[in-house]
Amino acid sequence: MAPSAPTPAYRRLSVEERRSQLLDAALTLFAHRAPEDVSLDDVAEAAGVSRPLVYRYFPGGKQQLYEAALRSAAEELQQCFDEPRQGPLPARLGRALDRYLAFVDEHDAGFSALLQGGSVVETSRTTAIVDGVRRAAAQHILGHLGVTRPGPRLRMTVRVWITAVEAASLIWLDEDKQPPAGELRDWLVEQFVAVLTVTAGRDPQTAELVTALSEDG
């Protein structure tokens, strides 16, 4: 009789490894279901642990776990626009949007719940986390433009475009991810150049930027 395969050695996870495991399980669930439809039992089952263990790491229960998962997702979203400041601006924005739309595609329902709000677990803290993503994205865009002291019109233009990116992403999910992500990316980049051009007609600072961008090709 052939000897049975050895049983894999059990390895106790460190505190950080276990916490990361639970967050990964939660993020996977929140990616496909609205937060209010996910229970701690669901998270425990997905992670292959007991409910008391989830409570041990997140004594605040579902609210604390959701906020921690949201922060983790927010950090990933913020990194989408962290693109090396080399080459033409449209190409840089295109690469950043590729990462952003990949995140939207992967998290789907969770992304919708995150941005649309209305969740029973939504609080001022969760709202601040989401707003932090928007502000970080705006800072990255201004950095790509080489602007450290933006005037109100330029600052508003950038923030309005970020809002448009969010809205387009939500509509894209609602439209069964049509048009293809690549077409959506190109359209959003073109839209950014267009709104900059419109603002340039009213704002000398933006006009200088548009001129410099046209010279860079």
Side-chain angles (χ1 to χ4, degrees):
M1 182 174 180
S4 59
T7 302
Y10 174 78
R11 184 174 72 88
R12 178 183 292 274
L13 298 180
S14 69
V15 171
E16 285 304 313
E17 287 174 328
R18 180 66 75 187
R19 189 173 189 277
S20 178
Q21 178 199 29
L22 295 175
L23 283 177
D24 286 345
L27 278 171
T28 299
L29 292 171
F30 290 137
H32 300 98
R33 289 152 60 182
E36 55 265 33
D37 295 331
V38 177
S39 69
L40 286 183
D41 286 332
D42 293 330
V43 175
E45 181 179 357
V49 301
S50 66
R51 180 187 174 99
L53 183 63
V54 179
Y55 263 114
R56 184 187 307 171
Y57 283 83
F58 299 96
K62 177 177 174 177
Q63 183 64 43
Q64 183 184 6
L65 177 59
Y66 175 66
E67 290 179 11
L70 187 58
R71 287 191 188 93
S72 179
E75 290 172 2
E76 187 174 342
L77 265 177
Q78 288 176 13
Q79 293 171 3
C80 289
F81 288 94
D82 190 10
E83 174 71 19
R85 296 169 189 176
Q86 300 173 347
L89 177 65
R92 282 182 268 159
L93 286 182
R95 290 190 293 270
L97 285 171
D98 279 338
R99 290 191 291 271
Y100 187 93
L101 292 174
F103 180 95
V104 174
D105 185 26
E106 180 183 356
H107 291 80
D108 209 320
F111 180 83
S112 297
L114 183 154
L115 288 185
Q116 289 177 320
S119 166
V120 296
V121 294
E122 183 181 16
T123 67
S124 59
R125 291 190 299 275
T126 60
T127 300
I129 293 170
V130 175
D131 189 56
V133 174
R134 296 171 180 143
R135 292 182 181 276
Q139 286 301 116
H140 279 303
I141 298 302
L142 290 169
H144 285 299
L145 292 172
V147 178
T148 55
R149 297 174 64 87
R153 289 182 179 84
L154 178 58
R155 189 164 54 244
M156 183 178 293
T157 298
V158 171
R159 294 184 67 178
V160 165
W161 181 72
I162 290 169
T163 301
V165 170
E166 290 182 358
S169 299
L170 291 171
I171 295 170
W172 184 62
L173 292 177
D174 193 50
E175 293 288 339
D176 296 323
K177 300 176 183 177
Q178 291 298 320
E183 291 184 22
L184 178 59
R185 172 204 63 213
D186 291 343
W187 178 70
L188 288 170
V189 171
E190 292 166 1
Q191 188 185 74
F192 183 65
V193 175
V195 295
L196 277 181
T197 302
V198 170
T199 303
R202 294 176 176 270
D203 180 42
Q205 182 185 39
T206 307
E208 290 182 9
L209 284 174
V210 170
T211 299
L213 290 174
S214 63
E215 292 174 350
D216 289 342

